[in-house]
Short mmCIF file of all heavy atoms in Angstrom, two decimals:
data_model
loop_
_atom_site.label_atom_id
_atom_site.label_comp_id
_atom_site.label_asym_id
_atom_site.label_seq_id
_atom_site.Cartn_x
_atom_site.Cartn_y
_atom_site.Cartn_z
N LEU A 96 0.83 -1.22 -0.02
CA LEU A 96 -0.04 0.04 -0.03
C LEU A 96 0.92 1.24 -0.03
O LEU A 96 0.30 2.40 0.11
CB LEU A 96 -0.97 0.00 1.21
CG LEU A 96 -2.13 -0.89 1.17
CD1 LEU A 96 -2.98 -0.77 2.40
CD2 LEU A 96 -2.96 -0.66 -0.07
N LYS A 97 2.12 1.14 -0.09
CA LYS A 97 3.02 2.28 0.02
C LYS A 97 2.74 3.30 -1.08
O LYS A 97 2.76 4.54 -0.83
CB LYS A 97 4.51 1.88 -0.08
CG LYS A 97 5.47 3.02 0.22
CD LYS A 97 6.89 2.58 0.28
CE LYS A 97 7.80 3.66 0.73
NZ LYS A 97 9.25 3.17 0.83
N HIS A 98 2.55 2.82 -2.26
CA HIS A 98 2.31 3.68 -3.38
C HIS A 98 0.90 3.79 -3.85
O HIS A 98 0.55 4.26 -4.91
CB HIS A 98 3.21 3.22 -4.57
CG HIS A 98 4.66 3.28 -4.17
ND1 HIS A 98 5.35 4.42 -3.90
CD2 HIS A 98 5.43 2.26 -4.11
CE1 HIS A 98 6.54 4.11 -3.65
NE2 HIS A 98 6.68 2.85 -3.73
N ARG A 99 -0.13 3.35 -2.98
CA ARG A 99 -1.53 3.40 -3.28
C ARG A 99 -2.14 4.64 -2.45
O ARG A 99 -1.35 5.32 -1.81
CB ARG A 99 -2.25 2.16 -2.80
CG ARG A 99 -1.84 0.87 -3.54
CD ARG A 99 -2.71 0.60 -4.76
NE ARG A 99 -4.10 0.23 -4.28
CZ ARG A 99 -4.47 -1.01 -4.08
NH1 ARG A 99 -3.63 -1.99 -4.30
NH2 ARG A 99 -5.76 -1.24 -3.66
N PHE A 100 -3.36 4.89 -2.68
CA PHE A 100 -4.03 5.97 -2.01
C PHE A 100 -3.34 7.31 -2.46
O PHE A 100 -2.88 8.12 -1.59
CB PHE A 100 -3.98 5.86 -0.44
CG PHE A 100 -4.92 4.73 0.07
CD1 PHE A 100 -4.57 3.42 -0.12
CD2 PHE A 100 -6.14 5.09 0.62
CE1 PHE A 100 -5.45 2.37 0.31
CE2 PHE A 100 -7.05 4.06 1.02
CZ PHE A 100 -6.64 2.70 0.89
N ASP A 101 -3.12 7.43 -3.71
CA ASP A 101 -2.16 8.44 -4.28
C ASP A 101 -2.84 9.61 -4.93
O ASP A 101 -2.18 10.44 -5.59
CB ASP A 101 -1.27 7.76 -5.27
CG ASP A 101 -2.07 7.02 -6.33
OD1 ASP A 101 -3.30 6.96 -6.27
OD2 ASP A 101 -1.35 6.51 -7.32
N ASP A 102 -4.16 9.76 -4.79
CA ASP A 102 -4.74 11.01 -5.29
C ASP A 102 -5.62 11.74 -4.17
O ASP A 102 -5.79 11.24 -3.08
CB ASP A 102 -5.67 10.79 -6.49
CG ASP A 102 -6.76 9.85 -6.37
OD1 ASP A 102 -7.44 9.91 -5.16
OD2 ASP A 102 -7.06 9.07 -7.25
N LYS A 103 -6.02 12.87 -4.62
CA LYS A 103 -6.80 13.80 -3.56
C LYS A 103 -7.91 13.12 -2.93
O LYS A 103 -8.05 13.24 -1.72
CB LYS A 103 -7.19 15.11 -4.31
CG LYS A 103 -7.78 16.12 -3.33
CD LYS A 103 -8.14 17.39 -4.09
CE LYS A 103 -8.79 18.41 -3.20
NZ LYS A 103 -9.13 19.63 -3.89
N SER A 104 -8.70 12.43 -3.64
CA SER A 104 -9.90 11.73 -3.06
C SER A 104 -9.61 10.59 -2.21
O SER A 104 -10.43 10.03 -1.48
CB SER A 104 -10.80 11.31 -4.28
OG SER A 104 -10.24 10.32 -5.04
N GLU A 105 -8.34 10.12 -2.20
CA GLU A 105 -7.92 8.95 -1.31
C GLU A 105 -7.03 9.46 -0.11
O GLU A 105 -6.52 8.57 0.61
CB GLU A 105 -7.18 7.98 -2.20
CG GLU A 105 -7.95 7.43 -3.26
CD GLU A 105 -7.14 6.80 -4.39
OE1 GLU A 105 -5.88 6.76 -4.34
OE2 GLU A 105 -7.76 6.32 -5.41
N ARG A 106 -6.82 10.76 -0.04
CA ARG A 106 -5.81 11.30 0.93
C ARG A 106 -6.30 10.89 2.39
O ARG A 106 -5.41 10.72 3.24
CB ARG A 106 -5.68 12.89 0.78
CG ARG A 106 -4.59 13.41 1.56
CD ARG A 106 -4.37 14.87 1.14
NE ARG A 106 -4.02 14.92 -0.31
CZ ARG A 106 -4.15 16.12 -1.03
NH1 ARG A 106 -4.57 17.21 -0.48
NH2 ARG A 106 -3.83 16.08 -2.21
N ALA A 107 -7.59 10.87 2.64
CA ALA A 107 -7.99 10.61 3.95
C ALA A 107 -7.64 9.35 4.48
O ALA A 107 -7.46 9.08 5.66
CB ALA A 107 -9.57 10.77 4.02
N GLY A 108 -7.39 8.38 3.53
CA GLY A 108 -6.96 6.95 3.99
C GLY A 108 -5.55 6.81 4.35
O GLY A 108 -5.22 5.84 4.98
N ARG A 109 -4.69 7.78 3.87
CA ARG A 109 -3.25 7.55 4.16
C ARG A 109 -2.94 7.60 5.61
O ARG A 109 -3.34 8.52 6.39
CB ARG A 109 -2.43 8.74 3.44
CG ARG A 109 -2.62 8.64 1.94
CD ARG A 109 -1.95 9.93 1.29
NE ARG A 109 -0.54 9.82 1.39
CZ ARG A 109 0.36 9.25 0.61
NH1 ARG A 109 -0.11 8.52 -0.47
NH2 ARG A 109 1.61 9.25 0.81
N GLY A 110 -2.30 6.58 6.16
CA GLY A 110 -1.89 6.51 7.54
C GLY A 110 -3.03 5.91 8.36
O GLY A 110 -2.76 5.59 9.53
N ARG A 111 -4.20 5.83 7.83
CA ARG A 111 -5.37 5.30 8.64
C ARG A 111 -5.82 4.00 8.22
O ARG A 111 -6.40 3.27 9.05
CB ARG A 111 -6.44 6.27 8.57
CG ARG A 111 -6.21 7.65 9.33
CD ARG A 111 -7.43 8.47 9.19
NE ARG A 111 -7.34 9.70 10.06
CZ ARG A 111 -8.30 10.65 10.20
NH1 ARG A 111 -9.49 10.49 9.54
NH2 ARG A 111 -8.13 11.62 10.89
N VAL A 112 -5.68 3.64 6.91
CA VAL A 112 -6.15 2.38 6.44
C VAL A 112 -5.04 1.31 6.63
O VAL A 112 -3.91 1.53 6.13
CB VAL A 112 -6.63 2.47 4.95
CG1 VAL A 112 -6.92 1.05 4.46
CG2 VAL A 112 -7.76 3.42 4.85
N HIS A 113 -5.43 0.27 7.31
CA HIS A 113 -4.46 -0.89 7.52
C HIS A 113 -5.18 -2.12 6.78
O HIS A 113 -6.14 -2.57 7.21
CB HIS A 113 -4.26 -1.24 8.90
CG HIS A 113 -3.75 -0.12 9.75
ND1 HIS A 113 -2.55 -0.14 10.35
CD2 HIS A 113 -4.24 1.13 10.11
CE1 HIS A 113 -2.28 0.94 11.03
NE2 HIS A 113 -3.27 1.82 10.85
N ALA A 114 -4.54 -2.58 5.69
CA ALA A 114 -5.30 -3.54 4.87
C ALA A 114 -4.39 -4.41 4.02
O ALA A 114 -3.22 -4.07 3.62
CB ALA A 114 -6.27 -2.84 3.98
N LYS A 115 -4.93 -5.55 3.69
CA LYS A 115 -4.23 -6.54 2.77
C LYS A 115 -4.80 -6.32 1.41
O LYS A 115 -6.03 -6.27 1.22
CB LYS A 115 -4.37 -7.95 3.26
CG LYS A 115 -3.79 -9.00 2.38
CD LYS A 115 -2.29 -8.97 2.49
CE LYS A 115 -1.56 -9.67 1.33
NZ LYS A 115 -1.53 -8.90 0.05
N THR A 116 -3.91 -6.16 0.46
CA THR A 116 -4.28 -6.11 -0.96
C THR A 116 -4.43 -7.44 -1.64
O THR A 116 -4.02 -8.45 -1.13
CB THR A 116 -3.21 -5.32 -1.78
OG1 THR A 116 -1.99 -6.02 -1.49
CG2 THR A 116 -3.14 -3.90 -1.17
N GLY A 117 -5.12 -7.44 -2.72
CA GLY A 117 -5.23 -8.67 -3.56
C GLY A 117 -5.35 -8.28 -4.98
O GLY A 117 -6.22 -7.48 -5.38
N THR A 118 -4.60 -8.86 -5.90
CA THR A 118 -4.59 -8.63 -7.32
C THR A 118 -4.36 -9.78 -8.03
O THR A 118 -3.35 -10.56 -7.92
CB THR A 118 -3.53 -7.56 -7.62
OG1 THR A 118 -3.69 -6.37 -6.93
CG2 THR A 118 -3.60 -7.15 -9.18
N LEU A 119 -5.26 -10.20 -9.02
CA LEU A 119 -5.10 -11.17 -10.06
C LEU A 119 -5.61 -10.53 -11.33
O LEU A 119 -6.33 -9.51 -11.16
CB LEU A 119 -5.82 -12.44 -9.74
CG LEU A 119 -5.10 -13.38 -8.61
CD1 LEU A 119 -6.10 -14.56 -8.36
CD2 LEU A 119 -3.73 -13.90 -9.10
N ARG A 120 -5.53 -11.25 -12.41
CA ARG A 120 -6.15 -10.67 -13.60
C ARG A 120 -7.71 -10.66 -13.35
O ARG A 120 -8.26 -11.58 -13.00
CB ARG A 120 -5.77 -11.57 -14.82
CG ARG A 120 -6.33 -11.04 -16.17
CD ARG A 120 -5.81 -11.79 -17.30
NE ARG A 120 -6.33 -11.45 -18.54
CZ ARG A 120 -5.85 -10.45 -19.28
NH1 ARG A 120 -4.62 -9.88 -18.84
NH2 ARG A 120 -6.39 -10.07 -20.50
N SER A 121 -8.26 -9.50 -13.52
CA SER A 121 -9.71 -9.25 -13.38
C SER A 121 -10.21 -9.49 -11.88
O SER A 121 -11.41 -9.72 -11.65
CB SER A 121 -10.54 -10.24 -14.28
OG SER A 121 -10.23 -10.00 -15.59
N VAL A 122 -9.31 -9.39 -10.96
CA VAL A 122 -9.67 -9.57 -9.58
C VAL A 122 -8.91 -8.49 -8.80
O VAL A 122 -7.68 -8.26 -8.98
CB VAL A 122 -9.30 -10.88 -9.02
CG1 VAL A 122 -9.52 -10.91 -7.45
CG2 VAL A 122 -10.00 -12.03 -9.72
N ALA A 123 -9.58 -7.80 -7.99
CA ALA A 123 -8.96 -6.77 -6.99
C ALA A 123 -9.73 -6.82 -5.66
O ALA A 123 -10.97 -6.85 -5.63
CB ALA A 123 -9.01 -5.32 -7.64
N SER A 124 -8.95 -6.82 -4.55
CA SER A 124 -9.61 -6.82 -3.26
C SER A 124 -8.79 -6.07 -2.23
O SER A 124 -7.56 -5.75 -2.41
CB SER A 124 -9.67 -8.31 -2.80
OG SER A 124 -8.46 -8.96 -2.88
N LEU A 125 -9.46 -5.72 -1.16
CA LEU A 125 -8.84 -4.96 -0.05
C LEU A 125 -9.62 -5.28 1.26
O LEU A 125 -10.85 -5.21 1.27
CB LEU A 125 -8.84 -3.54 -0.28
CG LEU A 125 -8.00 -2.58 0.56
CD1 LEU A 125 -6.48 -2.85 0.33
CD2 LEU A 125 -8.32 -1.10 0.34
N ALA A 126 -8.83 -5.74 2.19
CA ALA A 126 -9.54 -6.09 3.48
C ALA A 126 -8.73 -5.68 4.62
O ALA A 126 -7.52 -6.00 4.67
CB ALA A 126 -9.76 -7.63 3.49
N GLY A 127 -9.37 -4.98 5.62
CA GLY A 127 -8.55 -4.51 6.79
C GLY A 127 -9.32 -3.74 7.76
O GLY A 127 -10.62 -3.98 7.93
N TRP A 128 -8.78 -2.78 8.39
CA TRP A 128 -9.42 -1.94 9.38
C TRP A 128 -8.90 -0.49 9.23
O TRP A 128 -7.92 -0.20 8.70
CB TRP A 128 -9.22 -2.42 10.74
CG TRP A 128 -7.77 -2.54 11.25
CD1 TRP A 128 -6.87 -3.54 11.01
CD2 TRP A 128 -7.05 -1.48 12.03
NE1 TRP A 128 -5.70 -3.24 11.57
CE2 TRP A 128 -5.65 -2.05 12.14
CE3 TRP A 128 -7.35 -0.36 12.59
CZ2 TRP A 128 -4.71 -1.32 12.91
CZ3 TRP A 128 -6.39 0.36 13.27
CH2 TRP A 128 -5.10 -0.17 13.42
N VAL A 129 -9.75 0.43 9.75
CA VAL A 129 -9.52 1.87 9.61
C VAL A 129 -10.11 2.64 10.79
O VAL A 129 -11.05 2.23 11.40
CB VAL A 129 -10.21 2.41 8.30
CG1 VAL A 129 -11.64 2.13 8.30
CG2 VAL A 129 -9.87 3.77 8.09
N THR A 130 -9.37 3.60 11.18
CA THR A 130 -9.89 4.55 12.22
C THR A 130 -10.43 5.74 11.53
O THR A 130 -9.87 6.48 10.71
CB THR A 130 -8.74 5.07 13.10
OG1 THR A 130 -8.11 3.82 13.71
CG2 THR A 130 -9.24 5.93 14.25
N THR A 131 -11.72 6.04 11.84
CA THR A 131 -12.48 7.13 11.14
C THR A 131 -12.03 8.50 11.76
O THR A 131 -11.28 8.63 12.76
CB THR A 131 -13.97 7.01 11.33
OG1 THR A 131 -14.28 7.26 12.72
CG2 THR A 131 -14.43 5.64 10.99
#
C-alpha cells in the first residue's frame, strides 16, 4: 500500500487504512481496518 491512496480523493485513507491487498487478472480486493 506504500504507493496506493495516491490522489486527492484518497488522501483521507493515508496512514489510517491498514489492509491486505489482492490482485489477479480481473480480480482486485482490499480487506482490513480503519480509524475514522
Side-chain angles (χ1 to χ4, degrees):
L96 285 182
K97 186 173 184 178
H98 302 294
R99 296 268 293 268
F100 291 75
D101 56 355
D102 64 34
K103 184 178 180 180
S104 62
E105 299 160 3
R106 192 172 297 163
R109 296 175 68 87
R111 288 185 174 179
V112 173
H113 301 244
K115 180 70 196 76
T116 56
T118 303
L119 287 172
R120 186 176 179 85
S121 300
V122 177
S124 55
L125 193 68
W128 59 278
V129 58
T130 303
T131 71

